[in-house]
Amino acid sequence: MLDPALLVPALLTLGVFSILYRENPVFRCIEHVGLGMAAGYALVTIVFNGMLPRLVAAARHPGDMAAVLLALPLMAGIAFTALRRNALGTLGVTIAAAIAAGFAVPGLVQNLILEQMRATMVPVGLSSDAGFDSLVIAVCVLSTMAYFSFTREPRGIRGLAAITGLYTLMISFGASFGYAAMSRITLLIGRFLFLLRDWLHLVN
Amino acid sequence: MLRALTRPLAILLGGAAILVYFVPHQAGQWVEARLVDWLVLLQAAALVAGILALIRRQLARVRSGSLSQRIYPMLMLGSMAAMLIAGLFGTTAATAFGALYGSVLQPIQASMLSLLAFYMASAVFRSFRLTSAPATILLISALVVLLARIPLGEQMIPRISVFATWIIRGPNVAATRGLWIGMGLAAVATAFRVILGVQGPSGGGRS
Amino acid sequence: MRISYLGLLASLSRIDRRIIYLLVACAVALPLLAASTTRLIPAEESQSFHRAIAQLAEGETVLLAVEYNAGTAFELEPMVVTLVEEVFSRNARMVVSCFDAQGVGLVEETIAELAAASGKTYGTDWVFLGYRPSAPGVIISLATAPYAVFPRDHRGNSLSDLPLSSSLSGYADYQLVAVIASGTTAQDWVIYGTGRFHAPIIVGLGGGIGPTFQSFIDARTITGLIAGLRGAAEYEQLAGRPAEALRALSAQSTAHVLLVLLIVVGNASFFAARWLERTPY
């Protein structure tokens, strides 16, 4: 219980939980220490693990075409981190955005559009459970998309589809809320297990 | 000169990034590896720029605020500096960097996120209301899933798991599928706008 | 008399938030003191998740992509622990990549402990690549040119010097891809990874985004799915390794029941207050 390796984390945990009682400077101090350390940790990881190994490898083979080509993004990256808008920095951002966008296009078309459409276009019917479920899903998918169609006023069959889409979305959001609640509670259980088991040894 | 190059370069590199997916040739893979190399380095630079912006903002707060207002940004900068200095001497668990992470940052991060459970409970008590038909449907769906995902709920209402599974595999799949398809279409359109320079830093006047 | 009951009910809406916090704390803490485990009926997606790992043969290689930090560790670490134990017990090999800059130390420590307990050697049975920025870049690189982004592993070894990683050239070297993620990395794997990797992809997710991935199971974009503590507990049971997730489920149960009661009482109180406002006496 008095082992510093457990006492410090336990006191920090209790310090964070103190905000539940009321606003206090202890919580604010811990909050800012956490933010600073998180930024410092991320900076070290990004620089030492994310950038340096590749740059060192490139520096060891300066004649290599791949290493030479790395000079442009490196300069653009340095210009970008200068935090003032400049042409080289803008070039770096543009290159990164264009490459990321280009890489995404085939996957978006294949996995978010075509595969999802293929999974919807399956035999439907009222005679079997599977056929009926497929029919419900197909109708609800179309209705959900109709709900987000704003080109014309939703009247008649369009209005009915939009309402069905809204209710479908609400069912889905309800399910997502249930899972999100589960997730938050799980994280709290983790902290309580630390306090009760690891620190106070009240739980085996 | 550089500004004139920006848009053609975006079209060239973005177009190449699309095409290499369909070219299993070694040359295509070499180009893909270079594009990935660039992307990783530039995104790392973007993350570093973000953290530098945070440092600048905190320095400005230290300079401008009163003594009581200076304490928190100073604490933030001090703890960041401690982590950076510790990181210079190694980043494994056995180093000071690892010890600071394990005994200070880890409990703070875990506790901060776990606070959300308390706030969520308070919010559902005060704001989750049966005030309209869509809200009622959302609430019923949430209640069913909340009870069905725990052993106690399955014991109290035996058929609730079947209903929850139907919600997850039926309407939930339909709604998310509609959203994924819509997101996919919008993302493809945006990707082409970025590559062609209609949107983003090289065009449209926005960055 | 009826009015006074309603008044009492209506007054509950003004209850101090700290009482609700105390109820939440009790609902979570008390079941932990009297811990018990129950048997679950695993979902089809959890069974597919487990089956994909159970089918691994000796010497096959798993690519494990992990994205969590200290904040979300308790939800996802049980998944990683069971998965790594199962993979090692089948004498399969593992390449691990971390997608969260703030989770690198945590992930390496966890897997190193499990590897030591299973008697596995670093470099031969498993390799930790560490963290690199840009999830899309890393995913594409792992599929086609791993050395472009990872010239060295997290410990500074050259990948071409380690027996396991020296044999890696891309997607064809992996028999299974497992993604355990709390954020958008799983979505990145769906968009960038599924077309490039030919191996089946299984996904373990934080509860918040779990239901949104069900449509990828139906579309067969991913093979298996476990979400949240419930998913982790089902997987522990299927793997025959009951641990943290199954144990925490009792506390999860009481907390969920409390949430349901809060919703019901909150609404009853709201409508009671509204009825009293509209009633003239």
Side-chain angles (χ1 to χ4, degrees):
Chain A
M1 192 175 162
L2 294 174
D3 175 11
L6 292 172
L7 188 63
V8 173
L11 291 178
L12 287 169
T13 303
L14 294 175
V16 171
F17 284 169
S18 69
I19 188 69
L20 295 170
Y21 181 64
R22 68 170 171 217
E23 175 68 44
N24 65 80
V26 174
F27 172 79
R28 288 292 157 213
C29 286
I30 294 174
E31 183 192 28
H32 282 79
V33 167
L35 284 171
M37 287 192 127
Y41 188 89
L43 192 59
V44 169
T45 310
I46 292 162
V47 173
F48 287 104
N49 297 344
M51 296 170 91
L52 281 183
R54 180 68 192 105
L55 293 176
V56 169
R60 282 187 182 152
H61 304 96
D64 186 8
M65 189 61 175
V68 173
L69 284 174
L70 212 56
L72 177 66
L74 179 62
M75 287 191 299
I78 291 168
F80 180 56
T81 51
L83 297 179
R84 286 206 175 82
R85 203 174 167 137
N86 57 66
L88 194 57
T90 308
L91 181 74
V93 179
T94 309
I95 291 172
I99 296 173
F103 277 145
V105 168
L108 289 168
V109 173
Q110 178 69 27
N111 299 313
L112 287 199
I113 303 172
L114 295 179
E115 288 295 330
Q116 292 296 321
M117 285 167 75
R118 184 186 58 74
T120 313
M121 288 185 266
V122 291
V124 297
L126 298 172
S127 55
S128 68
D129 283 356
F132 180 71
D133 285 351
S134 301
L135 180 66
V136 169
I137 288 178
V139 169
C140 290
V141 169
L142 292 173
S143 305
T144 304
M145 295 180 80
Y147 178 73
F148 289 105
S149 166
F150 304 113
T151 45
R152 279 190 204 163
E153 197 179 341
R155 278 186 188 160
I157 191 84
R158 274 171 169 273
L160 186 67
I163 290 285
T164 312
L166 173 66
Y167 289 155
T168 309
L169 281 166
M170 288 302 136
I171 296 175
S172 177
F173 291 160
S176 285
F177 172 80
Y179 270 85
M182 179 166 76
S183 174
R184 303 297 165 245
I185 289 164
T186 303
L187 302 180
L188 184 62
I189 293 171
R191 276 342 274 163
F192 270 85
L193 262 181
F194 166 73
L195 291 175
L196 300 175
R197 183 182 60 188
D198 302 345
W199 185 45
L200 297 174
H201 305 292
L202 292 174
V203 178
N204 289 325
Chain B
M1 164 69 180
L2 273 176
R3 283 190 196 285
L5 262 178
T6 305
R7 190 178 284 196
L9 209 56
I11 296 172
L12 180 75
L13 296 175
I18 297 174
L19 286 177
V20 289
Y21 181 81
F22 303 99
V23 184
H25 189 267
Q26 269 190 335
Q29 287 183 353
W30 188 87
V31 172
E32 189 176 63
R34 298 292 73 74
L35 292 174
V36 165
D37 221 0
W38 287 27
L39 181 63
V40 171
L41 195 58
L42 286 167
Q43 290 212 348
L47 291 170
V48 173
I51 295 169
L52 291 180
L54 177 74
I55 295 172
R56 278 192 177 192
R57 171 105 183 95
Q58 296 308 314
L59 283 173
R61 277 180 69 192
V62 170
R63 280 194 215 105
S64 63
S66 62
L67 182 66
S68 60
Q69 286 171 324
R70 284 178 192 175
I71 291 172
Y72 295 134
M74 279 164 73
L75 259 177
M76 188 193 279
L77 290 170
S79 51
M80 194 188 297
M83 213 65 181
L84 290 174
I85 292 165
L88 294 175
F89 301 99
T91 57
T92 57
T95 58
F97 185 74
L100 274 177
Y101 176 74
S103 55
V104 182
L105 183 55
Q106 202 175 322
I108 293 176
Q109 280 190 333
S111 309
M112 285 286 181
L113 263 181
S114 69
L115 283 178
L116 293 176
F118 294 106
Y119 296 141
M120 184 195 60
S122 178
V124 296
F125 181 71
R126 292 176 203 288
S127 313
F128 223 161
R129 297 281 183 257
L130 295 165
T131 47
S132 64
T136 307
I137 288 176
L138 188 147
L139 202 147
I140 291 169
S141 171
L143 288 179
V144 168
V145 172
L146 271 174
L147 285 175
R149 296 294 98 179
I150 51 168
L152 202 61
E154 288 169 333
Q155 284 162 13
M156 287 193 301
I157 311 166
R159 301 286 291 169
I160 200 161
S161 282
V162 180
F163 190 30
T165 306
W166 179 81
I167 286 177
I168 299 286
R169 291 197 191 141
N172 169 63
V173 162
T176 49
R177 187 168 286 165
L179 292 174
W180 284 125
I181 293 172
M183 260 178 64
L185 290 168
V188 169
T190 308
F192 277 109
R193 285 168 67 87
V194 168
I195 292 167
L196 296 173
V198 181
Q199 191 175 347
S202 68
R206 285 175 292 173
S207 60
Chain C
M1 197 60 190
R2 194 177 57 164
I3 297 293
S4 68
Y5 278 132
L6 278 176
L8 189 68
L9 195 58
S11 67
L12 281 178
S13 63
R14 293 187 299 275
I15 192 173
D16 193 314
R17 63 190 162 80
R18 283 169 287 202
I19 294 174
I20 298 173
Y21 298 160
L22 193 65
L23 287 173
V24 173
C26 291
V28 169
L30 295 178
L32 289 177
L33 296 171
S36 63
T37 54
T38 42
R39 282 205 71 76
L40 305 167
I41 303 166
E44 273 176 39
E45 305 82 53
S46 308
Q47 293 181 28
S48 310
F49 186 97
H50 172 249
R51 209 177 300 125
I53 300 159
Q55 283 169 353
L56 282 170
E58 191 172 331
E60 289 191 325
T61 310
V62 179
L63 174 59
L64 174 61
V66 188
E67 185 223 359
Y68 65 79
N69 57 38
T72 48
F74 190 74
E75 197 176 17
L76 297 166
E77 210 170 65
M79 298 179 190
V80 172
V81 168
T82 315
L83 189 146
V84 171
E85 282 179 349
E86 219 184 351
V87 169
F88 282 151
S89 73
R90 296 185 181 282
N91 290 323
R93 305 180 305 170
M94 197 157 49
V95 175
V96 188
S97 176
C98 184
F99 285 74
D100 190 325
Q102 292 177 16
V104 190
L106 204 60
V107 172
E108 194 198 12
E109 203 179 331
T110 304
I111 298 178
E113 276 174 19
L114 294 167
S118 308
K120 298 293 174 186
T121 314
Y122 186 81
T124 312
D125 301 306
W126 72 289
V127 167
F128 185 58
L129 298 175
Y131 168 80
R132 297 289 182 274
S134 174
V138 173
I139 293 166
I140 294 166
S141 167
L142 286 169
T144 51
Y147 300 115
V149 170
F150 293 102
R152 289 180 179 275
D153 70 355
H154 183 64
R155 298 177 178 186
N157 305 304
S158 171
L159 286 187
S160 50
D161 293 341
L162 299 172
L164 172 56
S165 52
S166 61
S167 62
L168 298 176
S169 58
Y171 64 87
D173 300 316
Y174 304 107
Q175 282 70 47
L176 180 69
V177 178
V179 183
I180 309 288
S182 62
T184 56
T185 300
Q187 194 180 317
D188 288 330
W189 271 96
V190 165
I191 295 171
Y192 301 96
T194 43
R196 289 182 169 87
F197 284 85
H198 295 183
I201 296 179
I202 54 173
V203 178
L205 292 171
I209 49 173
T212 59
F213 269 65
Q214 190 67 38
S215 58
F216 294 122
I217 283 276
D218 283 15
R220 298 200 186 94
T221 311
I222 58 174
T223 308
L225 173 68
I226 51 175
L229 191 77
R230 169 74 188 217
E234 287 179 5
Y235 176 42
E236 281 181 2
Q237 185 181 299
L238 284 164
R241 297 169 190 279
E244 205 86 316
L246 266 169
R247 177 198 182 91
L249 218 52
S250 56
Q252 189 87 39
S253 285
T254 46
H256 278 211
V257 171
L258 176 69
L259 279 184
V260 170
L261 287 175
L262 285 173
I263 292 171
V264 172
V265 174
N267 273 286
S269 164
F270 170 71
F271 284 109
R274 208 155 78 168
W275 196 82
L276 283 175
E277 274 172 24
R278 286 176 186 174
T279 311
Y281 52 90

